[in-house]
Amino acid sequence: MAALRTKLRFITSTHHRRYSGSSILKPDSKSPLSGKEKSRAALTLLKSETNPQRIIDICRAASLTPESHLDRIAYSKAITKLKELNHFSSIRSFLHESTTRPDLKSERFVAHFIVLYGQAGLVNEAITAFEGMEEMGIKRTEKTLNSLLFACVLAKDFDEMKRVFVEFPKKYGFVPNLDTYNVVIKGFCESGSSSSVYSILGEMGRNNVKPNAETFGNCITGFYKEEKYEDVGKMLEMMKDFDMVPGISTYNIRIRSLCKLKKSTEAKALLDGILSRGIKANLVTYGNLILGFCREGNLEEAKSMFQKMVNSGLKPDAECYFTLVYYLCEGRDFEAALKIYKKCLADGWVPNFSTMKSLVEGLASISKVDDAREVICQVKEKISRNVEKWDEIEEALPK
């Protein structure tokens, strides 16, 4: 009888939580939401929520689990929001609560929470979660070690990353694997200590761990960041030693790195070279170049790259459209921005409010008021948010 009462209490509690979750996530819902519906509703609410307790309530109502891709995005969004609000106590309590949930007691899930601690910059808490796994009855493996190292990299605590890398394999009986070395190389490169990768590559060789494209990609990124072009060449030669032929992914890394250094013209020359050798560029290639030229204020070259991409048969993605519209407005080339926006709209996307406001006001400033009004009408039809703001902007346009 006692067992029956316990079961009934559990069922009633679960039923209440489901409806309670629905009332927070979707107040007008008359029935319990499915798991996917909860996740989507939570993500939508988290985008605009600024109240720390409300953020936690939304996550609890959605019963988030790292097993779901949508939930992993929601977890990350919540942690980012709380960090921006400097509400670290909420992050600590929420992640601690998550690690102790009976349905999330596995190495896979704890490893994810360790990474989230790193995302929040809470490395000590990440280490505590790692060290507390044994008490929770969860076995630690190299997977959790790699998550802890990655947490250190995310938090930009590179000294702690080095300490964990040196001490923890011996302390806990781990054998570093390829993922371990790749995370550490990434850390060295992000910290401005790219030359340290040579010692890591040497250790990998002694331990018969073969580097992969990610290994060399991280090294090349780091050497470009420090403008050590000779070392970039050494990495490309070393790839040959491992029978690795640089593909478009490696060239994209090089092009992106050059664009970040405001050397987009050199990056374009690299593109011309690979195209002449029959290597096909992709959206990432052109996206990097378009952004690079935009940042350097060379809007004509950015537009040229966009057209070259389209002519090659590639379909622009939302990010590419948004980048061009934003920078064309910044450069006061509103007619070109309007043309790109129309293509963007035809593909089902609309840039954010501030970009569109800039376009509308820019069109009005060059006496294209009718076009400005048409844009406002299209945006209001496509997106229900900010309708009142658009009404105010339209009212302020020249009659």
Side-chain angles (χ1 to χ4, degrees):
M1 194 69 183
L4 180 60
R5 281 197 301 270
T6 301
K7 187 175 182 180
L8 284 170
R9 277 199 303 271
F10 174 77
I11 292 170
T12 304
S13 169
T14 304
H15 180 78
H16 171 72
R17 282 200 304 272
R18 281 177 179 169
Y19 275 91
S20 174
S22 296
S23 67
I24 292 173
L25 300 171
K26 211 168 186 180
D28 58 349
S29 177
K30 291 182 171 60
S31 60
L33 301 176
S34 68
K36 190 168 281 189
E37 286 172 334
K38 285 183 177 181
S39 302
R40 286 175 176 159
L43 261 176
T44 300
L45 292 172
L46 286 171
K47 285 177 183 176
S48 56
E49 188 56 64
T50 56
N51 182 302
Q53 186 54 54
R54 178 79 177 161
I55 290 170
I56 299 296
D57 289 342
I58 290 168
C59 293
R60 284 174 179 156
S63 302
L64 299 179
T65 165
E67 193 165 15
S68 157
H69 175 67
L70 278 176
D71 285 7
R72 289 195 295 274
I73 296 173
Y75 260 118
S76 182
K77 175 65 73 175
I79 298 305
T80 299
K81 283 268 186 173
L82 292 168
K83 183 182 179 183
E84 288 171 353
L85 294 166
N86 290 316
H87 223 270
F88 294 99
S89 59
S90 292
I91 296 175
R92 291 186 183 95
S93 62
F94 176 51
L95 289 181
H96 177 71
E97 175 188 307
S98 296
T99 58
T100 55
R101 265 174 54 183
D103 60 321
L104 300 181
K105 279 196 174 183
S106 73
E107 183 193 23
R108 178 187 171 191
F109 295 148
V110 174
H112 186 74
F113 297 134
I114 286 171
V115 170
L116 289 174
Y117 274 124
Q119 185 183 324
L122 301 173
V123 172
N124 289 338
E125 285 77 357
I127 292 172
T128 299
F130 174 89
E131 292 177 335
M133 289 174 68
E134 200 169 275
E135 288 181 21
M136 292 190 287
I138 302 170
K139 184 181 178 182
R140 288 181 292 251
T141 68
E142 285 78 6
K143 177 182 175 62
T144 336
L145 171 67
N146 298 342
S147 294
L148 181 57
L149 288 166
F150 188 53
C152 293
V153 173
L154 285 176
K156 300 193 180 304
D157 192 339
F158 302 110
D159 288 337
E160 195 64 4
M161 180 203 76
K162 284 185 268 188
R163 186 184 76 82
V164 169
F165 175 62
V166 171
E167 297 178 9
F168 279 37
K170 296 173 186 175
K171 184 176 179 180
Y172 295 102
F174 296 136
V175 178
N177 58 25
L178 178 59
D179 289 337
T180 313
Y181 290 119
N182 280 345
V183 172
V184 172
I185 285 173
K186 182 179 177 66
F188 279 129
C189 290
E190 288 192 10
S191 68
S193 305
S194 298
S195 295
S196 299
V197 305
Y198 287 111
S199 65
I200 301 298
L201 290 167
E203 182 178 324
M204 291 172 72
R206 292 189 295 275
N207 293 336
N208 295 314
V209 178
K210 184 181 176 181
N212 62 4
E214 182 183 346
T215 314
F216 288 111
N218 286 335
C219 293
I220 289 168
T221 299
F223 285 128
Y224 265 120
K225 185 179 177 182
E226 296 176 41
E227 300 187 58
K228 294 180 177 178
Y229 304 115
E230 188 177 329
D231 291 292
V232 170
K234 287 179 182 178
M235 290 299 110
L236 294 171
E237 286 300 313
M238 199 177 290
M239 289 179 76
K240 294 179 185 176
D241 296 338
F242 289 94
D243 298 320
M244 295 171 66
V245 179
I248 192 59
S249 295
T250 302
Y251 283 109
N252 283 343
I253 288 169
R254 297 182 64 190
I255 286 170
R256 183 189 67 221
S257 298
L258 286 167
C259 289
K260 283 186 175 181
L261 292 170
K262 296 190 174 180
K263 295 178 181 289
S264 299
T265 301
E266 289 183 32
K268 183 192 172 188
L270 184 58
L271 169 65
D272 292 338
I274 65 176
L275 291 176
S276 69
R277 293 197 296 277
I279 298 174
K280 287 187 177 181
N282 58 23
L283 275 178
V284 175
T285 319
Y286 287 106
N288 285 327
L289 282 159
I290 289 167
L291 178 60
F293 280 120
C294 281
R295 283 176 171 167
E296 291 177 42
N298 193 341
L299 297 178
E300 290 305 314
E301 199 63 67
K303 288 188 285 185
S304 173
M305 280 292 109
F306 178 84
Q307 196 56 51
K308 190 171 186 175
M309 175 182 68
V310 173
N311 292 343
S312 71
L314 292 169
K315 188 178 177 67
D317 59 8
E319 187 176 354
C320 181
Y321 279 128
F322 296 171
T323 297
L324 259 182
V325 175
Y326 171 79
Y327 279 102
L328 287 169
C329 288
E330 286 285 293
R332 302 193 63 78
D333 190 349
F334 299 113
E335 291 187 65
L338 179 62
K339 288 178 183 177
I340 299 296
Y341 154 71
K342 286 181 177 179
K343 292 177 181 178
C344 178
L345 183 68
D347 283 340
W349 296 304
V350 176
N352 63 30
F353 176 78
S354 61
T355 299
M356 293 310 298
K357 180 175 180 285
S358 177
L359 175 59
V360 166
E361 292 176 344
L363 289 168
S365 73
I366 58 171
S367 303
K368 289 190 171 289
V369 179
D370 289 342
D371 285 324
R373 292 186 190 280
E374 185 183 359
V375 168
I376 291 174
C377 181
Q378 291 167 341
V379 173
K380 284 163 67 175
E381 282 181 8
K382 193 80 176 173
I383 300 173
S384 58
R385 294 191 310 275
N386 300 315
V387 171
E388 290 182 5
K389 289 182 180 178
W390 282 120
D391 288 341
E392 290 174 11
I393 293 169
E394 188 171 14
E395 185 62 31
L397 291 176
K399 299 295 186 269

